[in-house]
Structure formats: structure tokens, C-alpha cells
Amino acid sequence: MSALFSKSQDAKSQNTKSQNTKSPNTGSQNPKAKFAKRPANLKVLSRYVKLNALLAIIGAVLGLWALQLVFSYLSELDSLDDSYTMGQAIKYIFYRSPYFLEQFIPTGALLGAVVGLGLLANKSELVVMRAAGVSVYRIVGWVLQPAMIFVLIALAINQFVLPSSNQLAKEINDADSRSLVTSVRGYWTVQPRFARAEDGGTTPDGSDVLYIDYADVQGNIGEVKRWHLDNNGSLQTAVHAEDGKYIGREPLDTTTDEPSEQYRYEWQLNNMTKLNISQGFDSSQAISPSDTLSLPFAPESVYLLTRKAEDLSLTQLYEHRQFMGQQGTRSLSHELAFWQKLLSPLSILSLVIVACSFVFGSLRTHSLGLRIVVALLFGLLFSYVQDLVGFVSLATGFSPLLMVLLPIIASAILGGYLLKRQM
């Protein structure tokens, strides 16, 4: 009996062992269990690739930014004098640093993507990923995700930082632009002038050439110059005021839909000097503590008109475009800056695609150092092409939107073509 019992126990143990050995095989043959493990492995791989790309892009952007700050500091040393001290130069560079950072984000993203993926390729990790079934496009998608962080950073700098920082920088170091006779600053306009007739009507009384140097959103304006020309174009009076302050608006006509014809906005000019020129070219000068300046524009619109395109945020550029459309005019420089800032995310992403195409392939044919140099040269070329098409748009009046899109589309097509060759 004991022998039979031992044999039965041995049979049961063999059955249980066979069942245990079969159970993993049946589980491994289950496709659901097989695909349940794959997303977890891909999640680990994606985090690893994203972290490498993010750190490389951060290092590249900060490195280029630091170099630009050093070069800017060295260039400011030549301008130091009694009125422009070392402390002011450092403050000027500090206020300009957000502009330098925003300018180098596209090139830094390109260079960082090449370095991040190149380090993985040096260790043959990209080869292992592709051998495991991870496609090239999936890896490129992983690299594009940390690049989106810098897209948001660039948009935030353009929207919230640059309008204030650029203005503070110009207040510190603006002597060069004021000394240039040919420089175009502030807001220039020609206003028709009318005189009251005896019958109660109005007659043409020449025109005023008006110049406003600076304006802010609170209604304060800087230097104001106004020249009055008669109907024959002869200069009659010249007025100069140091600054002015917004004092209110006066309703004119409420039946029209044009905002410029509904109200007349008034500014009080301070420390005004007026020069009268007679027909015999004799002149007389008078100084008055204040005078009134009338404009058909609200203070917010005057602020937009007196600022350069690079100093305005994306929303301010849009408001400027809407205002110019209401006036029946356009500013190509502001439209070009609007589309450049709006489409800057596509510029960064297209450069990252090109960077990824530089890495995939055998490193035995081209070293990582050569690929980094080529990527840096391509980033500089892309920046120069963007500037070139901008100048072409300003010179010819061609569509700024199309001219901004051309380098982006060409870069994306080139990157996609190079990636397809590596498939």
C-alpha cells in the first residue's frame, strides 16, 4: 500500500509540474498578455528619450544664450563714457536678455535635438530601439514633445516679457538711434486742417505734419513736434513740446460707425515752444507752459502706433493690424512681425524634424561632431533665409504670411524627405 501510495503521489506531483510548466506557455501564447506588456516598455523608452532630448535642448539653448550675452557685453564696452556707465550697460544687457533667449530658441532646439539623439546613437541605443520594432516616426514624436515646452516658452516671452523689457532697454541706451537723422522713430502723420468760414462752414487751411516720439497705455506721450503748412505747402508754424498727458475725449458725431469720427481725443502739451514764420521769412518765437493736441485716435492706438513691431506682443500686433485696417492702411513691417511670432512654433518644430533626420543612419559614415556642425550651420541658414524673405516682403509688398511660411514648409519637407530615406 505504501508503494502504491508513493506511486500515486509521484503521479500527482508530475501532473502538477506539467500543469505549471504548461501554464506559462499558454500565457505567453495569449496575445492580450503579450500586448499588455508592450505599452509599459514603450512608456519607459519614451521617458528616456524625452529626458535626453530635453536636457540636450536646455543645454544648447542656455549655451547659445550665454555666448550672446558675453558678446553683447563686450560690444557695449566700446560705448562706455561718463553718461553711459558700466552699471547701465549691465542693466541694458539684462533687459535685452529675453530678446536674445527668444531669438536662439529655434537654433538651440535644432542643436539640442541633434546632440540628444546623437548621444543615444553613439551607444547604439537607437539601433536597439529600431530593432525592437520602434519606428523612426515614433522616436521623432518623442523628441518633438520636449520641444513643445520651448515653443510655449518662446510664445510667453513674446507675449508677456518683450514689450516691457525692450522698452526698458531703449530707455537706458537710446542715444545711437536719436543721433541718426535717417532713423524712423515714433509716429508720423499728416492731418488736414480746416478753418471756420463766415457762413459757418469750413474751408481748407493747409495741413499739419505731426510727430510723436513715445506714448504709453496710460495716455502719456513724449516729445511732440508739429509743423503747419498752408495750402501752397509753405511752412507757417513749428511747434515743439517736451511731453504731454491725456485729458479726455470730446464727442463729435454719434451717427457714424467709424471710431475716428465719433470722438476727438485731447492731450495737454507741456513746455511748448512755438515758432511763427511770416511771408518775408521773418520769424518770432513764443514759449507757453501748455497747449492742446487733438487726435482722432484713442491713447491705446497712439501707443501701438509709436512702438516698433519687434517691441509689440502678439495680441498688440493683432490690434495694430485691426486698427490699420479700420484706417484703410497697412504696415508691412507689423504684419511681418505678427506672422513671424504667430508661426514661430512651426519654425521650431520643423527644425527639430530636420535635426532628427541628421542623426538616423550609420555613424561610421559621418561622426556626431560633423552632424552637430551641419545642424548648427543649417540653423543659421534658416535664420538668414527668414530674414531674407522678410526683406523681400517689405521691398515688394508680397504677402508676409506666404513669405514667412516658405522657409518653414521647405524645412519640414527636407526633414521629412531625409527621414524617409532612413526608413
Side-chain angles (χ1 to χ4, degrees):
M1 292 292 294
S2 61
L4 292 174
F5 180 75
S6 61
K7 288 181 180 180
S8 63
Q9 290 292 335
D10 293 339
K12 289 180 180 179
S13 61
Q14 290 177 359
N15 292 331
T16 54
K17 287 181 180 180
S18 62
Q19 291 176 359
N20 292 334
T21 55
K22 290 180 180 179
S23 59
N25 293 332
T26 56
S28 61
Q29 294 173 358
N30 188 1
K32 294 183 178 179
K34 185 176 182 179
F35 287 105
K37 295 180 181 180
R38 188 176 180 184
N41 296 332
L42 286 181
K43 185 178 292 186
V44 173
L45 279 178
S46 66
R47 285 202 302 262
Y48 181 68
V49 174
K50 292 174 189 176
L51 180 60
N52 278 273
L54 178 62
L55 295 178
I57 294 175
I58 290 175
V61 171
L62 293 182
L64 294 174
W65 184 38
L67 284 176
Q68 180 61 38
L69 293 179
V70 172
F71 292 150
S72 299
Y73 173 75
L74 295 176
S75 65
E76 292 298 319
L77 293 180
D78 296 335
S79 305
L80 296 181
D81 52 23
D82 295 336
S83 60
Y84 186 59
T85 62
M86 178 71 71
Q88 290 177 322
I90 294 176
K91 287 178 62 178
Y92 170 76
I93 296 173
F94 174 76
Y95 289 136
R96 287 291 287 173
S97 59
Y99 174 76
F100 298 146
L101 177 60
E102 188 267 339
Q103 290 293 308
F104 279 106
I105 282 180
T107 306
L110 169 68
L111 190 60
V114 172
V115 173
L117 287 180
L119 293 176
L120 296 179
N122 270 341
K123 301 175 184 178
S124 300
E125 292 173 319
L126 288 183
V127 177
V128 174
M129 292 180 193
R130 295 184 63 183
V134 181
S135 66
V136 172
Y137 296 116
R138 186 185 291 272
I139 298 175
V140 173
W142 291 341
V143 178
L144 288 177
Q145 293 182 30
M148 289 296 299
I149 298 176
F150 291 88
V151 168
L152 298 178
I153 292 175
L155 290 176
I157 292 175
N158 274 320
Q159 180 65 29
F160 303 107
V161 181
L162 287 186
S164 301
S165 62
N166 283 350
Q167 180 61 36
L168 292 173
K170 289 184 178 181
E171 291 176 0
I172 295 175
N173 187 7
D174 207 15
D176 294 337
S177 59
R178 290 189 179 186
S179 62
L180 295 176
V181 179
T182 58
S183 63
V184 179
R185 291 168 42 84
Y187 171 61
W188 293 85
T189 185
V190 178
Q191 296 178 319
R193 193 167 179 175
F194 300 93
R196 290 281 184 180
E198 296 180 356
D199 57 356
T202 58
T203 59
D205 188 24
S207 59
D208 286 342
V209 179
L210 177 66
Y211 165 72
I212 301 176
D213 175 75
Y214 163 79
D216 57 21
V217 292
Q218 285 78 26
N220 301 314
I221 57 177
E223 184 182 20
V224 177
K225 298 178 182 179
R226 181 169 57 187
W227 298 267
H228 173 56
L229 307 177
D230 60 13
N231 293 324
N232 297 323
S234 301
L235 180 63
Q236 297 294 310
T237 60
V239 177
H240 174 270
E242 292 185 0
D243 53 33
K245 185 177 182 180
Y246 177 66
I247 57 178
R249 65 183 184 181
E250 176 185 356
L252 295 179
D253 187 3
T254 58
T255 61
T256 180
D257 294 333
E258 295 292 333
S260 60
E261 299 178 4
Q262 294 179 1
Y263 298 98
R264 179 67 61 177
Y265 300 88
E266 304 285 342
W267 277 262
Q268 180 179 347
L269 302 180
N270 302 319
N271 300 325
M272 191 195 75
T273 302
K274 184 176 183 180
L275 180 65
N276 296 309
I277 302 175
S278 62
Q279 294 292 335
F281 297 100
D282 295 331
S283 61
S284 62
Q285 181 173 322
I287 300 176
S288 61
S290 63
D291 194 8
T292 302
L293 172 68
S294 298
L295 290 175
F297 313 133
E300 296 81 6
S301 301
V302 178
Y303 167 77
L304 296 177
L305 293 171
T306 55
R307 300 293 296 275
K308 290 184 178 180
E310 64 180 16
D311 298 334
L312 295 176
S313 65
L314 187 60
T315 55
Q316 289 172 342
L317 287 171
Y318 177 77
E319 293 173 359
H320 183 277
R321 188 184 179 195
Q322 295 295 108
F323 175 76
M324 298 298 286
Q326 294 175 358
Q327 302 298 318
T329 58
R330 62 184 302 193
S331 173
L332 286 176
S333 61
H334 287 78
E335 289 186 22
L336 180 65
F338 171 76
W339 291 116
Q340 285 177 341
K341 293 186 177 184
L342 182 64
L343 300 177
S344 60
L346 298 181
S347 302
I348 297 174
L349 297 180
S350 66
L351 288 177
V352 173
I353 294 175
V354 174
C356 295
S357 66
F358 288 160
V359 176
F360 289 102
S362 177
L363 289 177
R364 286 176 289 183
T365 57
H366 301 291
S367 64
L368 177 60
L370 179 60
R371 294 169 191 258
I372 292 176
V373 172
V374 172
L376 183 58
L377 292 177
F378 183 84
L380 295 176
L381 177 63
F382 182 83
S383 177
Y384 294 150
V385 170
Q386 276 192 320
D387 295 338
L388 177 61
V389 297
F391 292 142
V392 171
S393 176
L394 295 177
T396 62
F398 203 67
S399 172
L401 172 60
L402 182 59
M403 298 304 289
V404 172
L405 279 175
L406 283 178
I408 299 174
I409 296 175
S411 176
I413 292 175
L414 177 62
Y417 171 74
L418 296 176
L419 282 176
K420 190 174 181 180
R421 289 186 59 185
Q422 303 297 334
M423 295 298 292

